Amino acid sequence: MTSRDNEDKSLELAVRTNLVHFQNWSDVTICNDEFQWRERTIKLLSGIPQTPLTSDNSDSDGSPVREYLLPVHLAQYKSDFITIECLDLIFEKLCKPDTKRIILSIVNDDGTIVFYFVYKGIHKPKK
């Protein structure tokens, strides 16, 4: 295992720990599918939030649905690691065809994690 593999695994575990213990998500898993991007392994996490994150992403009965998350380090985010091409490949190779968004999970050196929605294609803003 290379040091980059260890870094990627640390990011995955940091985001998973945050989701399970601080955000109270259930069934949080590290997905098996992966691909190589700029000498890094790209993997997603998935889980079910305690409540729907937005009204446009819930079941017909209003219950939360499975969300997909991409863990990245802040340095990767700032260094143009995440590009449109990379995001297209993520939606194509790692997500189900009906997936409309993923959640970018940016991990800072101090352990802080921020989450941003990244939509597939153009998404109409909310009023």
Side-chain angles (χ1 to χ4, degrees):
M1 204 182 240
T2 67
S3 65
R4 285 206 172 169
D5 290 337
N6 287 334
E7 289 174 31
D8 293 339
K9 196 59 127 174
S10 292
L11 288 173
E12 294 163 4
L13 292 175
V15 172
R16 184 184 184 288
T17 299
N18 183 281
L19 293 172
V20 170
H21 297 289
F22 298 102
Q23 308 299 328
N24 296 320
W25 284 36
S26 60
D27 195 25
V28 179
T29 60
I30 298 171
C31 301
N32 291 327
D33 294 338
E34 61 185 44
F35 71 94
Q36 294 300 120
W37 175 256
R38 297 189 179 172
E39 300 178 13
R40 300 296 292 244
T41 301
I42 302 289
K43 284 180 115 171
L44 296 179
L45 277 71
S46 72
I48 302 171
Q50 190 172 24
T51 58
L53 301 180
T54 59
S55 60
D56 64 339
N57 203 25
S58 61
D59 281 340
S60 57
D61 66 354
S63 61
V65 297
R66 181 164 295 280
E67 298 279 355
Y68 293 90
L69 302 98
L70 172 64
V72 297
H73 191 273
L74 182 61
Q76 292 171 305
Y77 179 72
K78 288 183 174 182
S79 68
D80 296 329
F81 178 77
I82 302 299
T83 64
I84 297 296
E85 182 183 1
C86 178
L87 291 170
D88 283 344
L89 288 171
I90 289 168
F91 279 106
E92 178 186 322
K93 295 179 180 267
L94 303 180
C95 296
K96 294 180 181 177
D98 62 343
T99 302
K100 296 177 185 174
R101 72 176 183 208
I102 59 172
I103 301 171
L104 187 62
S105 310
I106 304 171
V107 181
N108 197 349
D109 287 334
D110 65 2
T112 305
I113 302 174
V114 294
F115 301 96
Y116 292 99
F117 291 128
V118 177
Y119 288 89
K120 179 178 183 179
I122 297 175
H123 186 267
K124 183 178 178 181
K126 294 190 184 268
K127 293 183 180 183

